[in-house]
């Protein structure tokens, strides 16, 4: 599910994000604002290995994106692409250009798809059908955006692919272009998307979550024609995470409802089995409010397990969707920082991206960093992921 605090992409602005599929986190920034603009633009050579991961990271990663798959989990960052294996990061070579404006990752079985913008008016697709062992590089796709792309998001179902390009304008939460392909990126249809935000694949459909408030939801079978959906949330202010598909065939959306004074929030898991025409709640918990337009960091597994992380990192709570049992406090000591995103690993572990800040000599000296932590015991204890 799309679950964390705001948006995230490697080098640009923020939108509400998620916990399954691809979870995007902007390294080095805390909950709001924009990062520095892109540097020099480089055009990748076809089939090359520019920007490939050279080895295990020696320090904190920046521009971190998590991808929760059913075979393995992935971390894409400015420093490279990494597979999560045994609680460690294993580097995977990828033919990525040395400079880009934004990137995104999607995982469907053993197929890994990376979309990026080599310049503000182009999209480029990198695709591996064998878990990163080999890659194909498509031709850049021109997108005629009057303001240029602020960031990209990607989702894939087999040969069908959707890339959402959010435009870099003052109204970037509502303006986007959608590039869709039904032949693994050989041919593209580029159209105006109904809203800016984030895109995910769940069940047999694509889902777009976003809008200015983060409470708009659309679905599409092809990625070119979108249907507006309504989740029956009664609260005035709420934010939806990216949808997640379950083994049962249902699709779940984690919704954070905000109190008027932004002190409390309710995290509710809404499920649909008919493509979003009807919804039923599968449980909810009360949490501290993560902030206006933000979502409570959480992770949902295909078998219905979930983890919710308190916005300040002080607690981790677990449960099972649709269970009559009360959620369990699994980590009273919390995490070493404020969580931005979380994802399950196929072996039962969990990954989280946490942010921390330091102000050694007052507010003017404050700096913030992000780091990856891993839990092998379903969220009870966490250790650095390197």
């Amino acid at each position: 599910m799309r679950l964390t605090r705001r948006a995230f992409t490697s080098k640009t602005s923020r939108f509400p994000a998620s916990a399954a599929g691809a979870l995007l986190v902007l390294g080095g920034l805390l909950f709001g604002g924009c990062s520095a603009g892109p540097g020099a633009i480089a055009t990748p050579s076809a089939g090359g290995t520019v920007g490939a991961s050279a080895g295990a990271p020696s320090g904190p990663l920046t521009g971190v994106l998590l991808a929760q798959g059913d075979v393995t989990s992935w971390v894409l960052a400015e420093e490279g692409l990494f597979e999560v294996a045994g609680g460690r990061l294993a580097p995977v070579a990828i033919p990525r250009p040395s400079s880009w404006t934004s990137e995104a990752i999607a995982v469907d079985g053993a197929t890994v798809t990376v979309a990026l913008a080599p310049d503000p008016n182009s999209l480029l697709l990198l695709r591996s059908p064998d878990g990163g062992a080999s890659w194909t590089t498509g031709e850049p796709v021109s997108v005629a955006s009057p303001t240029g792309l602020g960031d990209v998001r990607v989702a894939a179902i087999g040969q069908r692919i959707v890339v959402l390009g959010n435009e870099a304008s003052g109204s970037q939460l509502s303006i986007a272009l959608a590039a869709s392909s039904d032949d693994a990126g050989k041919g593209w249809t580029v159209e105006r998307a109904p809203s800016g935000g984030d895109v995910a694949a769940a069940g047999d459909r694509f889902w777009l979550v976003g809008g200015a408030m983060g409470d708009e939801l659309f679905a599409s079978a092809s990625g070119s024609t979108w249907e507006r959906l309504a989740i029956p949330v009664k609260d005035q202010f709420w934010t939806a995470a990216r949808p997640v598909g379950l083994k049962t065939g249902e699709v779940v959306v984690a919704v954070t409802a905000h109190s008027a004074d932004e002190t409390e929030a309710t995290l509710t898991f809404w499920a649909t089995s008919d493509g979003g025409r009807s919804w039923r709640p599968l449980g909810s918990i009360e949490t501290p409010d993560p902030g206006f337009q933000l979502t409570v960091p959480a992770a949902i597994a295909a078998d219905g397990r979930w983890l919710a992380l308190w916005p300040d990192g002080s607690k981790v709570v677990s449960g099972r969707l649709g269970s009559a049992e009360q959620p369990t406090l699994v980590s009273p000591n919390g995490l070493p920082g404020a969580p931005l995103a979380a994802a399950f690993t196929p072996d039962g572990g969990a990954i989280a991206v946490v942010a921390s800040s330091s102000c050694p000599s007052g507010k003017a000296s404050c700096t913030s960093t992000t780091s990856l932590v891993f839990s092998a015991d379903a969220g009870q204890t966490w250790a650095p992921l390197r």
Side-chain angles (χ1 to χ4, degrees):
M1 77 194 200
R2 183 206 71 157
L3 68 183
T4 64
R5 307 203 154 214
R6 239 204 221 236
F8 317 116
T9 96
S10 67
K11 295 187 179 180
T12 46
S13 57
R14 300 184 166 205
F15 295 80
S18 128
L23 307 181
L24 297 85
V25 177
L26 182 57
L29 289 183
L30 279 175
F31 323 142
C34 298
S35 66
I41 303 301
T43 302
S45 56
T49 55
V50 179
S53 305
S58 58
L61 299 178
T62 54
V64 181
L65 299 88
L66 304 182
Q68 177 176 308
D70 55 4
V71 176
T72 187
S73 297
W74 297 82
V75 172
L76 179 63
E78 293 183 16
E79 291 78 7
L81 178 65
F82 304 89
E83 185 179 10
V84 181
R88 300 189 67 83
L89 295 176
V92 176
I94 178 174
R96 187 174 65 174
S98 58
S99 184
W100 62 96
T101 63
S102 180
E103 61 184 347
I105 183 171
V107 179
D108 180 26
T111 301
V112 182
T113 301
V114 174
L116 54 84
D119 61 67
N121 289 285
S122 299
L123 295 172
L124 183 69
L125 197 72
L126 312 176
R127 194 161 165 87
S128 172
D130 46 20
S134 62
W135 294 85
T136 59
T137 302
E139 293 294 325
V141 179
S142 176
V143 290
S145 167
T147 61
L149 300 180
D151 68 7
V152 298
R153 308 297 170 91
V154 64
I157 306 174
Q159 298 288 89
R160 292 179 291 156
I161 301 167
V162 173
V163 180
L164 186 70
N166 292 295
E167 293 183 300
S169 68
S171 54
Q172 57 194 352
L173 284 172
S174 60
I175 299 179
L177 295 168
S180 58
S181 172
D182 59 7
D183 56 8
K186 297 180 178 65
W188 292 92
T189 299
V190 181
E191 298 178 311
R192 178 67 60 188
S195 173
D198 204 355
V199 67
D204 60 353
R205 311 186 80 189
F206 295 104
W207 306 78
L208 195 162
V209 183
M213 300 298 293
D215 58 1
E216 296 184 35
L217 179 66
F218 304 84
S220 173
S222 63
S224 59
T225 302
W226 297 88
E227 176 186 3
R228 182 185 291 272
L229 303 173
I231 303 176
V233 182
K234 296 181 180 179
D235 302 84
Q236 181 179 3
F237 305 111
W238 56 277
T239 309
R242 298 168 76 242
V244 179
L246 303 182
K247 292 180 180 178
T248 61
E250 289 185 294
V251 173
V252 175
V253 178
V255 170
T256 299
H258 307 270
S259 62
D261 59 2
E262 296 186 38
T263 59
E264 298 178 345
T266 302
L267 178 66
T268 303
F269 302 100
W270 290 92
T272 179
S273 58
D274 55 11
R277 290 171 176 79
S278 63
W279 299 85
R280 66 188 182 101
L282 294 182
S284 64
I285 59 170
E286 302 298 316
T287 75
D289 198 308
F292 194 55
Q293 296 180 320
L294 306 182
T295 57
V296 173
I300 299 176
D303 61 5
R305 292 174 295 121
W306 58 265
L307 286 178
L309 286 61
W310 257 226
D312 62 359
S314 62
K315 294 181 180 179
V316 178
V317 177
S318 71
R320 184 169 290 274
L321 297 174
S323 174
E325 298 182 1
Q326 292 295 313
T328 303
L329 179 65
V330 297
S331 183
N333 295 323
L335 292 89
L340 300 177
F344 281 110
T345 59
D347 58 3
I351 313 169
V353 182
V354 297
S356 59
S357 60
S358 174
C359 304
S361 57
K363 189 174 182 179
S365 66
C366 289
T367 59
S368 60
T369 59
T370 56
S371 59
L372 287 165
V373 291
F374 178 80
S375 174
D377 50 14
Q380 295 184 53
T381 58
W382 298 83
L385 178 64
R386 297 188 176 92

